[in-house]
Amino acid sequence: MSEMPAITYNFAYLDEQTKRMIRRAILKAIAVPGYQVPFASREMPMPYGWGTGGVQVTAAILGTDDVLKVIDQGSDDTTNAVAIRSFFQATAGVATTTRTQDATVIQTRHRIPEAALSDRQVLVYQVPIPEPLRFLEPRESETRRLHGLADYGLMHVKLYEDISRHGHIATTYAYPVSVAGRYVMDPSPIPKFDNPKMNESAALQLFGAGREQRIYAIPPHTRVVSLDFEDHPFEVQRFAKPCALCGARGVYLDEVILDDRGGRMFVCSDTDFCETRRADGHVGELGVAVPSALAGKDAA
Amino acid sequence: MNSLAPLPRAVADAAPEVLGVSGLGKSFVLHLRGGMELPVVSGAAFSVRAGTCVALGGPSGAGKSSILKMVFGNYRIDRGHILIRDGDETVDMATASPRRILRLRRERIGYVSQFLRVIPRLSTLDVVSEPLRLDGVPAPEALRRAQDLLARLNLPERLWDLPPATFSGGEQQRVNIARGFIAPRALLLLDEPTASLDARNSAAVIDLINARKAEGTAMLGIFHDEAVRAAVADAVVDVTRFGDAA
Amino acid sequence: MNPASGQDAPLLVAQGLTRLYGTRIGCADVELEVYPGEILAVVGESGSGKSTLLSLLSTELAPSSGRISYRGTDGVMRDLAAFTEAERRLLLRTQWGFVRQNPEQGLRMAVSAGGNVGERLMAVGRRHYGDIRSEATDWLGRVEIAADRIDDDPRSFSGGMRQRLQIARNLVTRPRLVFMDEPTGGLDVSVQARLLDLIRSLVSDLGAAVIIVTHDLAVARLLSHRIMVMRHGSVIEHGLTDQVLDDPAHPYTQLLVASVLAA
């Protein structure tokens, strides 16, 4: 019996044939903005729901000189983000960062970074359910036909139901958008607060759904409009107070419970954004200034 | 034509012929009884001019009702012609398309049957005013005229807003007459309009018929009551002759 | 009046309409015309082909042979086979309606009554919530559903209410042509009468043409102007409704009429 060879992975785990297949799907998705392109999703060494779709898209576009950032709920430090980051460190050996501005590829779950993205960046979304029409029409054959015919009255039925039940559009995340005036798309479970960031973004935005085997895309500088009614226009969440740590306004805040007596504070959900501001000397009401040397530390 | 009461000559000659029946023949083929053929009418011929009333006479079973129904288009016509004047046109009911017949019914022919057949929930006023509203008369005006007519026919006012389905035979018949008479029609077909009415209400119907005649309406009717027939008919056509000719 | 655009021009014309299921005949060589504002009843027993015919006319089913033409709002008669699917679907949610026997099939059971009625408005691009809602409220009133039920979903409605809701959902865009498949089937007799009354008055208010499939001759008599009797996939008798029912010529029609109580 011969000696067991050392286990080595192909660059970024997936074999080159699979990557080519995924790239073809990505190219098609870019060519037809908002359209869900089927692809042959592979088994990944992580369970569905952990971002297998986003991971495959990232694996297919990653080059050796890319710098990768992975966030989950705006944070680089959650289990999911750490696991995916180390997965690519191990299989591709690429540089990683937590600094939004330094990254060339950003894989995300549930958020879009607060800082505006540039034309040298790609944002990869992890998508659990890519079909925005599924809520009202469970048949895949029918939803595909509705997309094909741009027959989107159903989406407004969903919003109508929201208003009739709650007095306003209560959908706060995975808020449907119309892409380039044609396809209606589920932006993945990001807060609707982030929807305006998709519009005319300089960065390429790719969406991967592993379990459902769909890839879709928003090319750079594409019009993305959140669906609404004339008398109930789309609005983003507003926060009464600025970030308690960095004092930022107009950003998405997370609630943090401080004690068991009802004490709480609201802080930036985008941790890198918050740290960068604090490094620049911004201080919120409960915050302390961070020495700039500590800000933007490499999470690796 | 077998005239009972002599027509005023001026009317009879000058008035246009609204209905002309010639060589009319009809039999029922009963397929459920081995194709048995039941002749009803054969060779019927008569005409009705504007402003006159012609009564169909003869014993029951002689085909009076069948002739009335053929004129209305309710029964098919096997042989012959039923010509009905429609403005400048003349329509033959024997060959007219269903849609043409429907248009004639809408615009030219009124039919007062013995029995009321209406949609269950409509109020009496709605039932009566409907033909006028379909003619394009505004609803308030149509309702007012329906009220006038029901009052003239002595139908108690408390019944006007109720659906007629639960009324007595005499009440239903008056609703039916009001519905048939409310809109101006060139030709009115009357199937025993006073069958269920007492003397007072029969008199009201006679007045109504004569008033319509004076306005120029042509009428073809079946009247079993001799007195009513004498009061309204300008001529009686004996239907028995047509049955015999088969 | 221009005959091509007025009441005297047919809205829908079927010629030689045939549908085979393998060697079995669904319906064979059916000819019909429907005009604006008229109600055409198609009667027959189950298996007579009347439901197949309705599916063909509403383009849910493709014919084996024959053609169907529809006159658009521009007055031009076009072969339905030449319509794209997008055009046909647009027709079905704007100018056409389809009231199904089971309201569960014609309604979105998990969507509120208001949403069910408003859907067709939203599908044609209406984007004012307040307007959509007030129009839905108005239509619920027209089908005798209390305004305070607007946010309830149809699962909490009785069978008769569901059917009335389905009618409102279809008529809200003021369709020119409405298909109805046994709309009163499965309802109590008293509920049926109310529904028939409602259908009759709404359809007459809208001036819509209706093709109604029913096995119930009383329904056909009450609602329709003209009638077609089908058997074994073919039309065996057609004409004025009261004439066909009161003086049926075909042996089978005589049998049908004789089989019901005072239709």
Side-chain angles (χ1 to χ4, degrees):
Chain A
M1 215 177 181
S2 65
E3 198 179 323
M4 288 281 287
I7 296 173
T8 55
Y9 293 105
N10 191 38
F11 179 76
Y13 184 75
L14 292 175
D15 65 88
E16 292 305 310
Q17 285 303 320
T18 298
K19 284 196 255 180
R20 286 178 62 183
M21 175 272 291
I22 294 172
R23 285 176 201 139
R24 278 196 296 271
I26 291 171
L27 286 172
K28 183 170 177 183
I30 293 169
V32 192
Y35 172 71
Q36 299 167 47
V37 181
F39 79 109
S41 181
R42 295 288 191 258
E43 290 289 330
M44 298 301 287
M46 60 189 75
Y48 290 125
W50 282 69
T52 55
V55 166
Q56 289 179 82
V57 169
T58 298
I61 62 170
L62 217 48
T64 49
D65 53 355
D66 269 315
V67 180
L68 177 69
K69 171 182 165 78
V70 183
I71 50 173
D72 177 11
Q73 309 271 14
S75 166
D76 298 83
D77 299 333
T78 58
T79 314
N80 192 211
V82 170
I84 292 172
R85 194 162 51 227
S86 44
F87 173 77
F88 282 113
Q89 281 171 332
T91 60
V94 292
T96 62
T97 182
T98 61
R99 292 175 63 92
T100 300
Q101 66 185 57
D102 293 344
T104 56
V105 175
I106 304 170
Q107 181 170 333
T108 180
R109 174 172 178 262
H110 292 186
R111 276 310 309 276
I112 298 176
E114 300 290 357
L117 301 179
S118 74
D119 59 5
R120 44 168 205 88
Q121 294 180 302
V122 180
L123 187 58
V124 178
Y125 297 74
Q126 299 171 202
V127 181
I129 298 170
E131 181 47 73
L133 295 164
R134 187 164 302 159
F135 170 76
L136 291 160
E137 179 52 71
R139 290 170 297 177
E140 172 81 12
S141 58
E142 182 64 14
T143 55
R144 289 179 73 112
R145 189 174 287 121
L146 292 174
H147 281 295
L149 300 169
D151 186 353
Y152 290 129
L154 267 184
M155 287 316 307
H156 277 85
V157 172
K158 181 168 183 264
L159 299 180
Y160 171 96
E161 292 289 282
D162 252 17
I163 303 173
S164 72
R165 283 202 193 112
H166 309 288
H168 58 94
I169 297 176
T171 300
T172 53
Y173 62 94
Y175 191 107
V177 293
S178 169
V179 179
R182 176 59 181 83
Y183 284 94
V184 165
M185 188 193 92
D186 185 319
S188 88
I190 59 171
K192 68 176 179 179
F193 181 90
D194 285 340
N195 273 22
K197 296 185 186 131
M198 290 185 287
N199 184 37
E200 302 289 352
S201 170
L204 170 64
Q205 302 172 75
L206 301 176
F207 298 77
R211 179 174 40 211
E212 305 238 358
Q213 316 202 37
R214 292 290 184 276
I215 286 171
Y216 49 103
I218 304 173
H221 305 293
T222 298
R223 192 161 156 68
V224 178
V225 179
S226 302
L227 303 184
D228 63 1
F229 286 101
E230 290 157 15
D231 48 343
H232 287 267
F234 172 79
E235 282 175 352
V236 298
Q237 294 100 323
R238 292 181 198 291
F239 297 90
K241 294 163 84 174
C243 170
L245 295 179
C246 77
R249 294 176 187 274
V251 297
Y252 194 76
L253 302 181
D254 282 337
E255 184 179 2
V256 177
I257 305 296
L258 295 175
D259 51 45
D260 57 5
R261 298 183 304 278
R264 55 186 191 157
M265 65 174 181
F266 287 91
V267 299
C268 287
S269 131
D270 183 341
T271 50
D272 170 64
F273 182 81
C274 197
E275 281 168 14
T276 304
R277 274 181 59 85
R278 287 155 66 200
D280 289 348
H282 297 279
V283 182
E285 60 177 5
L286 298 175
V288 285
V290 176
S292 57
L294 288 179
K297 65 184 191 307
D298 198 318
Chain B
M1 193 180 294
N2 177 12
S3 292
L4 267 195
L7 279 178
R9 292 243 55 98
V11 174
D13 293 345
E17 194 175 289
V18 176
L19 170 68
V21 176
S22 60
L24 187 66
K26 163 93 188 158
S27 11
F28 288 114
V29 179
L30 307 180
H31 293 288
L32 303 182
R33 306 250 176 96
M36 185 172 90
E37 195 170 330
L38 206 69
V40 187
V41 176
S42 181
F46 59 90
S47 62
V48 185
R49 289 179 182 275
T52 69
C53 176
V54 170
L56 295 172
S60 60
K64 301 188 297 290
S65 270
S66 296
I67 291 175
L68 218 52
K69 286 176 173 172
M70 281 188 273
V71 172
F72 193 59
N74 180 222
Y75 280 180
R76 292 163 213 271
I77 296 159
D78 294 345
R79 292 174 301 281
H81 307 279
I82 294 179
L83 304 178
I84 293 177
R85 174 185 290 275
D86 182 7
D88 294 335
E89 268 184 83
T90 301
V91 180
D92 188 349
M93 295 299 274
T95 52
S97 72
R99 299 188 63 250
R100 191 73 184 87
I101 295 174
L102 286 170
R103 205 175 101 200
L104 275 177
R105 288 181 184 176
R106 216 159 44 231
E107 298 169 355
R108 303 291 172 194
I109 315 175
Y111 185 76
V112 179
S113 61
Q114 285 187 63
F115 305 104
L116 187 65
R117 177 127 63 176
V118 288
I119 299 260
R121 293 194 310 156
L122 285 187
S123 78
T124 294
L125 278 176
D126 286 339
V127 168
V128 172
S129 63
E130 187 180 67
L132 266 191
R133 283 184 283 119
L134 292 177
D135 280 0
V137 175
E141 164 74 5
L143 278 183
R144 195 187 55 73
R145 282 165 64 183
Q147 290 166 346
D148 287 352
L149 204 49
L150 289 170
R152 200 166 159 184
L153 288 164
N154 306 314
L155 192 81
E157 199 173 333
R158 63 184 162 77
L159 298 179
W160 295 359
D161 289 324
L162 302 176
T166 55
F167 293 3
S168 73
E171 288 160 352
Q172 288 199 4
Q173 185 151 39
R174 279 174 283 158
V175 173
N176 218 4
I177 290 166
R179 182 180 160 91
F181 275 81
I182 193 164
R185 295 287 181 263
L187 176 63
L188 271 182
L189 308 175
L190 309 171
D191 189 355
E192 304 213 39
T194 59
S196 318
L197 303 185
D198 58 22
R200 173 168 166 258
N201 288 320
S202 290
V205 174
I206 290 168
D207 284 349
L208 206 53
I209 293 174
N210 285 327
R212 270 306 153 78
K213 269 169 60 180
E215 290 164 15
T217 301
M219 303 206 197
L220 178 66
I222 302 170
F223 310 94
H224 277 174
D225 186 317
E226 294 283 352
V228 172
R229 180 167 24 176
V232 300
D234 300 297
V236 174
V237 172
D238 182 2
V239 168
T240 343
R241 295 187 296 145
F242 309 138
D244 292 344
Chain C
M1 186 166 63
N2 175 8
S5 62
Q7 297 282 306
D8 282 336
L11 197 59
L12 190 81
V13 177
Q15 294 161 300
L17 208 55
T18 300
R19 169 74 192 197
L20 305 172
Y21 298 105
T23 55
R24 200 166 64 76
I25 292 170
C27 84
D29 211 22
V30 173
E31 309 268 324
L32 67 82
E33 291 184 343
V34 191
Y35 289 78
E38 80 169 342
I39 303 182
L40 172 68
V42 182
V43 301
E45 295 170 305
S46 50
S48 62
K50 57 188 195 302
S51 295
T52 297
L53 177 61
L54 204 64
S55 299
L56 291 172
L57 294 175
S58 61
T59 73
E60 286 187 344
L61 201 62
S64 306
S65 61
R67 55 181 262 163
I68 308 164
S69 316
Y70 172 69
R71 185 177 306 279
T73 45
D74 57 2
V76 177
M77 205 82 190
R78 291 173 64 201
D79 189 339
L80 279 182
F83 281 58
T84 64
E85 188 181 1
E87 288 173 318
R88 276 191 284 117
R89 288 176 79 106
L90 186 65
L91 266 188
L92 272 164
R93 63 175 191 254
T94 54
Q95 299 181 25
W96 292 9
F98 200 137
V99 176
R100 293 166 198 285
Q101 175 171 8
N102 296 324
E104 294 77 12
Q105 288 171 8
L107 291 172
R108 293 191 189 280
M109 297 304 283
V111 168
S112 70
N116 264 290
V117 177
E119 180 175 344
R120 279 167 72 109
L121 297 175
M122 293 180 246
V124 295
R126 295 276 295 274
R127 292 292 179 262
H128 192 284
Y129 174 83
D131 290 352
I132 292 164
R133 194 165 170 86
S134 67
E135 206 157 328
T137 309
D138 176 51
W139 271 95
L140 290 179
R142 294 174 77 162
V143 297
E144 301 170 9
I145 294 175
D148 63 6
R149 302 301 301 272
I150 190 169
D151 294 329
D152 296 345
D153 74 46
R155 285 174 297 205
S156 69
F157 287 8
S158 69
M161 273 176 85
R162 289 179 185 183
Q163 202 55 298
R164 280 181 275 131
L165 180 62
Q166 195 193 177
I167 288 167
R169 172 179 160 88
N170 273 279
L171 297 190
V172 66
T173 50
R174 307 188 150 265
R176 305 165 78 209
L177 176 61
V178 182
F179 302 101
M180 297 189 180
D181 186 6
E182 305 271 11
T184 59
L187 297 176
D188 292 344
V189 175
S190 61
V191 177
Q192 276 189 24
R194 182 178 181 193
L195 193 67
L196 290 171
D197 181 11
L198 200 65
I199 290 173
R200 199 181 86 123
S201 66
L202 290 177
V203 161
S204 135
D205 287 352
L206 294 181
V210 176
I211 300 176
I212 178 171
V213 157
T214 178
H215 70 280
D216 187 337
L217 298 185
V219 168
R221 182 190 284 279
L222 212 52
L223 285 182
S224 70
H225 300 105
R226 290 193 296 124
I227 195 170
M228 288 178 22
V229 183
M230 292 192 71
R231 188 190 192 196
H232 300 330
S234 297
V235 177
I236 55 163
E237 187 162 2
H238 63 96
L240 272 180
T241 298
D242 60 279
Q243 190 181 81
V244 169
L245 294 182
D246 290 341
D247 184 10
H250 193 279
Y252 177 72
T253 313
Q254 291 191 358
L255 179 68
L256 269 188
V257 171
S259 309
V260 295
L261 300 165

